[in-house]
Amino acid sequence: MWRTGKKSMKRVFGLLAMLLLLLAAVCWYVWDSYSQFLEQPLGVESENVVLDVEPGMPGRAVISRLAELGLTEDGWQWRVLLRFQPVVLKAGEYRIDRGLTPPALLHKLVRGDVMRYRFTIVEGWTWRQLLQALRDNPMLDKGLENGLNELDWREVGANPDSLEGAFLPETYLYTRSDNAIDVLRQAAGAMQNTLSEAWALRSDDHPAKTPYELLILASIIERETALDEERAQVSGVFVRRLQKGMRLQTDPTVIYGLGENFDGDIRSRDLQTDTPYNTYTRHGLPPTPIAMPGRPSVLAAARPDESDALYFVADGTGGHKFSATLEEHQRGVDELTGKN
């Protein structure tokens, strides 16, 4: 009896040992498979793979979509990963780059590292041109079909009665879920910050009495020259003219006042036709900005150069010739037009 019992115990221990070995082998296989899954990049074969995560989309649905894209298999490893790392995924478009592993993907979705697009407001654009560019953008034109209402402008931080010049020319980032309001809000805030910075830099005797007048001056500078190194000089001419009570006599304001009647060629009769924007017939600044000035023009408006120039004329090479007297200015005009 004792020997029989002893043999039975040996069989039991042998069976337990085999089961333990089998369990260890299974655990090792599972762990090795899971470890490889964690380190194995997703099957991205091109550079334009985009994952669209909808609002409220659960993790399991995201994995199914990844499987549909051929980037992974909808296996048990994902279920284990999601169980160990419960996450809240943020909606949006995600670019799936090569080398991205499953844990890295989850981190990307949790951070909300969505695809961002670029929209550029060009220096010197008018509000009409900016609005048209927004309407031409298929992702940003949402809500622009009937224009923007007063509530929209309140959200943006702009005055609907003076939109010209209200938005800083820069490149702004946006996501697919954004619209024109989101971009305009960024641009209006950027302009207010830039204008505040410039306003703090102006001298006590500066002729601009309000930040808005400084913005008007900056818009004229923007339209007069495309050279950053000239902006302070152009600003100096206008500031000294305003201080002396001289008319600004700048063509871009006249052109803006002509509106759709301007055919691309400014004539003597245009300079003599009075409008609120004709700085040949009226003293002081026009009633509103005439374009969207960039940061260099806004800063130049606040800090003009300290020369004695009161005139300038285009030199034919993209720059200008500056003069302190009318006689010197006229000689420069004659030289440039070949009259001498």
Side-chain angles (χ1 to χ4, degrees):
M1 291 288 294
W2 183 82
R3 289 183 177 180
T4 301
K6 187 175 182 181
K7 289 181 180 180
S8 297
M9 291 295 291
K10 286 182 178 180
R11 291 193 187 96
V12 171
F13 282 125
L15 181 59
L16 288 174
M18 291 179 62
L19 289 174
L20 288 173
L21 288 173
L22 180 60
L23 180 61
V26 170
C27 290
W28 178 86
Y29 171 79
V30 170
W31 177 250
D32 183 65
S33 177
Y34 185 66
S35 297
Q36 291 185 36
F37 162 77
L38 295 178
E39 298 174 0
Q40 181 67 35
L42 300 173
V44 180
E45 297 181 357
S46 68
E47 296 182 355
N48 298 311
V49 179
V50 177
L51 173 67
D52 190 7
V53 177
E54 300 169 2
M57 196 172 187
R60 294 289 300 122
V62 173
I63 305 311
S64 296
R65 182 160 293 181
L66 286 171
E68 293 172 0
L69 292 172
L71 302 179
T72 187
E73 293 183 2
D74 190 359
W76 60 268
Q77 294 94 334
W78 278 110
R79 289 188 286 277
V80 172
L81 179 59
L82 291 173
R83 179 62 62 87
F84 286 158
Q85 291 184 241
V87 293
V88 177
L89 308 181
K90 295 183 179 178
E93 288 181 310
Y94 294 86
R95 179 176 286 108
I96 309 301
D97 300 316
R98 291 176 179 173
L100 195 67
T101 62
L105 173 63
L106 284 187
H107 291 152
K108 188 182 184 81
L109 300 181
V110 171
R111 290 196 312 269
D113 187 12
V114 298
M115 293 175 58
R116 285 174 168 79
Y117 300 89
R118 295 174 180 270
F119 180 81
T120 299
I121 300 177
V122 178
E123 293 178 344
W125 267 3
T126 63
W127 162 242
R128 186 187 299 272
Q129 289 173 303
L130 171 55
L131 184 59
Q132 187 58 53
L134 290 169
R135 284 175 170 157
D136 291 341
N137 187 303
M139 280 192 279
L140 294 177
D141 67 344
K142 299 183 289 291
L144 292 178
E145 296 84 357
N146 301 316
L148 299 170
N149 58 39
E150 185 176 347
L151 177 61
D152 294 328
W153 293 126
R154 196 177 302 126
E155 292 179 359
V156 167
N159 182 347
D161 297 326
S162 57
L163 295 174
E164 198 68 84
F167 308 99
L168 186 70
E170 285 286 355
T171 295
Y172 298 96
L173 300 179
Y174 66 94
T175 67
R176 182 172 288 277
S177 62
D178 292 332
N179 58 27
I181 290 294
D182 298 295
V183 172
L184 291 175
R185 184 182 296 110
Q186 293 184 64
M191 179 59 85
Q192 287 302 315
N193 291 337
T194 300
L195 193 57
S196 295
E197 178 186 350
W199 183 248
L201 296 175
R202 80 197 190 288
S203 61
D204 293 338
D205 62 345
H206 197 287
K209 302 307 179 186
T210 66
Y212 190 65
E213 288 187 355
L214 192 68
L215 182 62
I216 295 173
L217 177 58
S219 73
I220 301 174
I221 297 169
E222 185 64 58
R223 294 297 296 164
E224 277 288 8
T225 181
L227 302 179
D228 285 347
E229 60 270 23
E230 274 195 353
R231 297 189 195 279
Q233 290 177 278
V234 172
S235 176
V237 169
F238 290 142
V239 165
R240 284 185 288 276
R241 278 178 163 263
L242 289 170
Q243 290 172 333
K244 293 176 178 292
M246 299 173 65
R247 294 189 179 113
L248 294 183
Q249 296 183 321
T250 171
D251 292 358
T253 62
V254 176
I255 293 171
Y256 185 86
L258 292 173
E260 295 181 356
N261 293 324
F262 179 64
D263 61 5
D265 185 17
I266 191 166
R267 302 173 177 84
S268 295
R269 67 171 181 268
D270 297 324
L271 302 181
Q272 298 168 7
T273 301
D274 183 55
T275 74
Y277 291 88
N278 191 332
T279 52
Y280 283 84
T281 61
R282 299 196 182 196
H283 287 84
L285 293 165
T288 72
I290 61 172
M292 309 286 175
R295 176 180 170 83
S297 291
V298 176
L299 295 179
R303 298 300 298 267
D305 79 337
E306 297 180 355
S307 70
D308 55 358
L310 290 171
Y311 306 87
F312 61 84
V313 62
D315 63 9
T317 64
H320 294 82
K321 177 179 175 57
F322 295 84
S323 305
T325 66
L326 180 59
E327 293 76 12
E328 183 185 354
H329 171 67
Q330 191 58 57
R331 285 197 300 272
V333 171
D334 291 342
E335 290 174 3
L336 292 169
T337 56
K339 290 186 178 180
N340 286 344

